[in-house]
Amino acid sequence: MSNVQGYFDPRFESVRDIFAAQQQDPQARGSALCVTIGGETVLDLWQGVVDKDNQQVWEQDSLVNVFSCTKPLGAVAILQQVEAGKLGLDTPLADVWPEFAQAGKAQITLRQVLSHQSGLSAVTETLPPEALFDWNVMSSALAAQRPWWAPGEAHGYAPVTYAWLVGEPLRRVSDTRPGQYIQEHICRPLGMDFFVGVPDQDLPRLAHLSRLRNQYGDEYARALFASMGKPEGMGFKAFGNPSSMMVSSNERHWQQAEILSANGTGNARSLARFWQVLAHGGKLGEAHLLDSELVDEMRREHVQGMDRTLLAPTRFGLGVMLEQPYEGGGFGMGPQAYGHPGAGGCLGFCDPETQVGFGYVTNAMGPYVLMDPRALALSREVYQCLRSVD
């Protein structure tokens, strides 16, 4: 267990032991865990390696792509614009993005986009690989896209298109590139070592991503992967159009793009810090993310039921997943917990009841749709420790 670095409160030693035991898996590479309770950090741990040759150890300041754990930062960024009165949750998005009104989208609202009800989970037209890294091409493709279903009548997760559905309105009302906005208004004020678009000088700190072999996930993962085998279907296009979505995560143009749905790069400490503030209703000490009324709206259930993209039952607030109604789909804490997993196993969330902020990251990607069993084992043990203290 000597491989584990960092700090742990003795009350949570069993969590540290589980974290260390996970490194015994022959396919394990690197990971980090950070947990806050109230204003206090009780776990800040890291272990393993960052490079593909397993030679370079994971350091205190190593960074990794956290995929969809980025989405709540985009949600907070656009909700800050709502707080400032620059756009409304329930007014047409086309008010600030006129081109968006075409193809039956004139009445789609920011609320529908944030809760995955807009019917814009994927772009139908096959786009060239380089389109993913051209902001204007992606924004224009979504402006032209006809919804896959009548907006508001169902929900289907938007794994990648969310970046432009949220980011283009953000860019227009803030007059700032989305990655820059998130850096200036969320990451820097909170002291988060986190980027949506990694600067040149920070690229050497990035961990190399790899996939766990011979693991097939649960029934929902298998159904999703089967749907992705149909090239004209929404599942395939949501995750694979442009095709560069599936193959670029270790490449510099992905690492430095500003895809606020999927390419946030940071560490467990940064995720825990973000969620620590939200666990306290959006304000903690000098840190202010959002007014508590908007945080309450963010974590209120907006949709629940079978997700047309993920082919699993999901519950969403605004830009966040809520506790899910099936075994292994939730956060492993109280029923009010909310946050977001990232492809491959990363997880960031809070539980307002216990005032927990939680961040877990790894560069060994598993095949699960929502929660990864590694992160879930850790969060469940944190909860057990809290209950035994009480």
Side-chain angles (χ1 to χ4, degrees), residues 319-350:
V320 294
M321 284 189 177
L322 308 179
E323 184 68 9
Q324 303 298 341
Y326 66 93
E327 179 64 25
F331 297 98
M333 290 204 186
Q336 301 304 313
Y338 68 102
H340 219 292
C346 297
L347 178 62
F349 75 91
C350 70

Side-chain angles (χ1 to χ4, degrees), residues 160-318:
V160 184
T161 56
Y162 175 102
W164 297 274
L165 295 172
V166 172
E168 181 62 9
L170 174 64
R171 187 183 72 81
R172 292 192 180 219
V173 300
S174 70
D175 201 28
T176 310
R177 294 192 335 270
Q180 180 187 344
Y181 181 92
I182 287 171
Q183 190 62 34
E184 292 176 357
H185 296 272
I186 298 175
C187 300
R188 207 171 295 151
L190 265 57
M192 294 166 58
D193 192 7
F194 192 100
F195 307 95
V196 181
V198 181
D200 290 350
Q201 66 268 23
D202 294 291
L203 287 171
R205 296 195 283 138
L206 263 64
H208 186 274
L209 296 162
S210 65
R211 294 186 182 276
L212 297 176
R213 297 179 303 281
N214 302 318
Q215 294 197 14
Y216 304 101
D218 56 14
E219 59 180 304
Y220 298 118
R222 292 191 289 274
L224 174 63
F225 296 142
S227 79
M228 288 163 61
K230 300 168 184 167
E232 294 310 309
M234 190 178 75
F236 175 87
K237 292 190 180 285
F239 289 93
N241 182 29
S243 60
S244 45
M245 285 181 195
M246 303 297 283
V247 296
S248 300
S249 49
N250 286 309
E251 296 179 10
R252 182 168 177 163
H253 51 248
W254 168 273
Q255 295 161 347
Q256 296 199 302
E258 297 186 15
I259 304 171
L260 57 77
S261 57
N263 85 326
T265 301
N267 49 33
R269 197 176 303 114
S270 297
L271 287 177
R273 172 61 173 157
F274 176 78
W275 289 107
Q276 178 187 35
V277 176
L278 285 171
H280 290 80
K283 192 176 193 307
L284 179 62
E286 296 298 307
H288 177 90
L289 277 176
L290 275 179
D291 284 347
S292 59
E293 294 83 4
L294 275 170
V295 174
D296 288 345
E297 196 61 21
M298 187 178 181
R299 66 190 189 96
R300 180 175 70 80
E301 179 184 283
H302 279 69
V303 292
Q304 63 86 26
M306 189 56 73
D307 188 299
R308 291 203 177 187
T309 309
L310 296 178
L311 307 181
T314 55
R315 293 175 68 229
F316 285 98
L318 298 178

